[in-house]
Amino acid sequence: MSAAPTTLKKLDTIQDKAARLIGTPSTTLNIHSLHHQRTVAAVCTIHRMHCSNSPRFLRQHLPNPRPLPPRRTRVAGLKDHNQVIYLPWYCRDMAARVVTQVMRMYLCSTRFSHLPNCFPAAQLKISYMRFCTSSHNDSTDTIQKPENTVLLNNLTVLGVDIKMARRRQPGVLRKVITNEKGVAEFLRSKGANRKTIASIISRYPRAITRSYCHLEERWQLWRSIFKADSEIISIIQRSPESYFRSSDNENLAKNISFLCSLGLTSEDLHRLLTTAPRTFSNSLELNKQMVEFLRDLCVSLGDKNPDDFVKRIITKNAYILIRSTKRIKANVDFFAEALELSNSELIKLLQGHGAEVLDLSSDYMKRNFKNTSEQLQSLGCTPKEVIKFFIDYPPAFYASFEKLSNKIDCLLESEINIKQLLKKPRVLEFSVDNLRNRIEELERVGYNFRKHGITILDSSRRRFEAKLEKLNEEG
């Protein structure tokens, strides 16, 4: 019934031509237009949905209803014709109600937008999306299930934050069958306390839909990577979604097997699951797609060991497998263009510290590169020195420009030359307060940065204190 009147007129024209071909003009047949026929059919449909029977003046023209076929097997049912479909008995009532609601809404919103208010269907002049998502009218209120009061009571006893759960996944609270007690007992058996269990369910209510057997099977797969149950609990507490989001344990087992086939050790898998657990929730095909992309990238840059290249990238950047290949390609192209790198130099960067920033947003890196480059050039650095700075210190791509600028200013205020900073950019990994405190302690013992350099600032706390004590003795 969604055809436009102009389209129906074309079909009417074809119908008239067919009538002329058989020698009977359409005026003699007295056939109404398709638009008129559909309008009448829609009116009858709405009447039947509202009154549960057909209009009285049309009932006498209806043929005798065909008796319902007896309940039969699927094979026996095929004897009627090859297109007959029989729904299972438990689906017929639900399907009929859904079809009735959708048809009623569609007809009222498209064909009869000015029905009288006394007609209940007039309240359903809404789109299909609002039918699915909104609860602003009586119709959708009747379709939406109420919250399960027994479930709410059980969650309250467990200490769950009902408001948080309702805000995050409201549909879970309307489910009739849940396993909140089983999930709580499972987590308790693995060492989680009451507060941890309540926090996990509050932040990811869908956890209570998992069965005990499913959770135990998944736990054993995780346990093959971790050495203690407490490690798994700490990850679930930090990110409940990582454990409860996927219900496909087979996919998890395949991902573990696939990552092991890449040469990753149990320590590597431990780091992946701790840092980026969504890697194991990805479909196996998605992880394979990224690995294949990295292999092709390695080959295109002239390297002859793509498997080693993939392993190095993944071990240096745990987030690489949960990013899109489009983002990685954009970042690689940006590195090659902005840093003016050859293929061999690009391979060296990607296998080194460049891999750590490969998963970042390319727009964010471009903005940081532009701002930092302008600041360094304003301090007397040449374009080549700026490029070398980013190659030696890739974290400058993701570090906050404001914080990076404050660190540079702090060093320059202490009569440290910008050329010294370019030689030891790792000094910028320390906080401004840490740098300021170290500089003050060194100035107190008469340390000369221009003469001895700034290497001492880029040392561990233990080595710095030992060096400071030695300077005090010499002074």
Side-chain angles (χ1 to χ4, degrees):
M1 292 188 180
S2 60
T6 54
T7 304
L8 296 178
K9 285 182 180 179
K10 293 179 181 179
L11 295 175
D12 288 333
T13 303
I14 296 173
Q15 182 176 265
D16 293 340
K17 289 181 180 179
R20 286 197 299 272
L21 288 175
I22 63 177
T24 306
S26 57
T27 54
T28 305
L29 294 174
N30 195 22
I31 300 177
H32 295 285
S33 67
L34 288 175
H35 179 71
H36 176 75
Q37 294 179 39
R38 290 187 171 208
T39 303
V40 173
V43 173
C44 295
T45 302
I46 292 179
H47 186 282
R48 181 173 179 80
M49 286 189 294
H50 178 55
C51 303
S52 300
N53 55 39
S54 59
R56 190 176 303 173
F57 65 93
L58 289 178
R59 200 177 306 162
Q60 57 185 351
H61 300 288
L62 295 177
N64 294 328
R66 177 184 175 186
L68 291 175
R71 194 169 177 181
R72 61 185 73 181
T73 63
R74 197 181 317 174
V75 177
L78 296 177
K79 294 179 180 179
D80 290 326
H81 56 79
N82 59 358
Q83 294 182 345
V84 66
I85 298 176
Y86 290 103
L87 289 173
W89 63 271
Y90 51 82
C91 292
R92 292 173 191 167
D93 184 54
M94 182 185 299
R97 273 185 280 175
V98 172
V99 172
T100 299
Q101 292 286 354
V102 174
M103 282 296 297
R104 182 184 299 176
M105 286 163 34
Y106 172 78
L107 292 172
C108 292
S109 61
T110 57
R111 291 193 169 270
F112 309 105
S113 58
H114 301 289
L115 289 173
N117 293 331
C118 61
F119 198 80
Q123 301 174 9
L124 297 169
K125 304 175 203 174
I126 53 177
S127 64
Y128 181 72
M129 289 303 297
R130 285 192 62 189
F131 166 70
C132 296
T133 60
S134 175
S135 60
H136 293 301
N137 53 55
D138 296 337
S139 173
T140 52
D141 285 341
T142 58
I143 296 172
Q144 191 178 52
K145 292 181 180 179
E147 291 184 343
N148 188 340
T149 55
V150 176
L151 171 60
L152 294 178
N153 293 335
N154 291 341
L155 294 179
T156 303
V157 171
L158 293 174
V160 174
D161 187 338
I162 302 298
K163 290 184 178 180
M164 180 185 294
R166 186 181 290 116
R167 185 172 64 252
R168 289 175 178 262
Q169 294 169 351
V172 176
L173 302 181
R174 301 188 188 96
K175 290 185 175 293
V176 178
I177 302 176
T178 53
N179 187 33
E180 63 278 3
K181 293 182 179 179
V183 171
E185 180 60 32
F186 173 81
L187 293 173
R188 193 178 295 111
S189 67
K190 303 302 181 181
N193 56 36
R194 187 176 186 275
K195 183 178 179 181
T196 300
I197 295 172
S199 174
I200 291 172
I201 299 177
S202 299
R203 289 181 289 132
Y204 198 76
R206 197 178 299 169
I208 64 176
T209 63
R210 305 303 181 200
S211 68
Y212 195 98
C213 295
H214 163 82
L215 296 176
E216 183 62 38
E217 181 183 2
R218 196 168 189 82
W219 191 274
Q220 295 305 320
L221 291 172
W222 279 45
R223 198 67 170 76
S224 64
I225 300 174
F226 293 98
K227 297 180 180 180
D229 291 345
S230 57
E231 293 180 312
I232 303 179
I233 288 294
S234 65
I235 294 178
I236 298 176
Q237 184 177 8
R238 189 180 75 247
S239 175
E241 184 180 2
S242 62
Y243 189 84
F244 293 102
R245 180 186 180 210
S246 175
S247 60
D248 194 348
N249 289 337
E250 183 180 357
N251 182 70
L252 173 60
K254 289 180 179 179
N255 272 327
I256 294 175
S257 177
F258 172 66
L259 294 173
C260 289
S261 69
L262 300 178
L264 299 179
T265 63
S266 57
E267 289 78 13
D268 296 329
L269 295 180
H270 184 286
R271 181 169 174 267
L272 275 175
L273 199 50
T274 304
T275 310
R278 208 177 75 185
T279 300
F280 297 85
S281 298
N282 283 347
S283 66
L284 178 63
E285 291 71 21
L286 194 62
N287 286 337
K288 285 184 175 180
Q289 182 182 353
M290 176 57 76
V291 169
E292 193 62 31
F293 168 78
L294 293 175
R295 283 173 176 162
D296 293 342
L297 173 63
C298 178
V299 173
S300 67
L301 295 177
D303 194 271
K304 297 181 179 180
N305 196 349
D307 291 336
D308 184 62
F309 176 78
V310 171
K311 181 181 176 181
R312 289 193 179 192
I313 294 289
I314 296 176
T315 52
K316 287 184 175 294
N317 192 329
Y319 300 98
I320 197 74
L321 291 174
I322 61 176
R323 302 295 185 237
S324 66
T325 55
K326 182 179 179 181
R327 171 180 287 195
I328 305 303
K329 185 179 185 306
N331 289 340
V332 172
D333 294 341
F334 169 68
F335 288 155
E337 180 182 357
L339 303 180
E340 301 176 2
L341 300 175
S342 63
N343 287 349
S344 59
E345 291 172 334
L346 184 56
I347 280 285
K348 183 178 179 180
L349 176 66
L350 295 179
Q351 290 183 331
H353 295 294
E356 299 171 2
V357 298
L358 198 55
D359 66 302
L360 299 178
S361 166
S362 57
D363 293 336
Y364 179 78
M365 287 202 297
K366 289 177 182 177
R367 186 167 59 251
N368 268 12
F369 178 77
K370 178 177 178 295
N371 294 335
T372 306
S373 298
E374 291 176 353
Q375 183 184 19
L376 292 177
Q377 289 181 15
S378 68
L379 295 173
C381 299
T382 64
K384 287 187 177 180
E385 288 176 331
V386 171
I387 290 176
K388 187 176 184 305
F389 169 78
F390 278 97
I391 294 176
D392 294 340
Y393 187 61
F397 281 112
Y398 66 79
S400 168
F401 171 70
E402 183 180 356
K403 291 182 179 180
L404 191 66
S405 178
N406 291 337
K407 294 175 185 179
I408 294 175
D409 292 340
C410 174
L411 294 171
L412 296 180
E413 288 172 0
S414 304
E415 298 182 356
I416 295 175
N417 195 312
I418 188 63
K419 305 297 181 181
Q420 292 177 302
L421 177 59
L422 294 178
K423 291 180 180 179
K424 291 290 181 181
R426 292 285 167 183
V427 173
L428 297 173
E429 292 185 353
F430 295 91
S431 66
V432 175
D433 293 336
N434 198 336
L435 287 174
R436 188 173 287 113
N437 291 335
R438 289 192 173 193
I439 290 172
E440 290 177 356
E441 291 180 2
L442 290 171
E443 289 178 344
R444 201 174 293 126
V445 297
Y447 188 86
N448 190 330
F449 289 106
R450 292 186 179 274
K451 181 179 179 180
H452 301 290
I454 62 172
T455 304
I456 190 173
L457 294 176
D458 185 24
S459 58
S460 65
R461 181 177 182 83
R462 187 174 181 180
R463 293 185 61 184
F464 176 79
E465 291 177 350
K467 182 68 175 177
L468 190 63
E469 184 178 353
K470 185 177 180 180
L471 291 172
N472 281 323
E473 293 175 355
E474 293 177 355

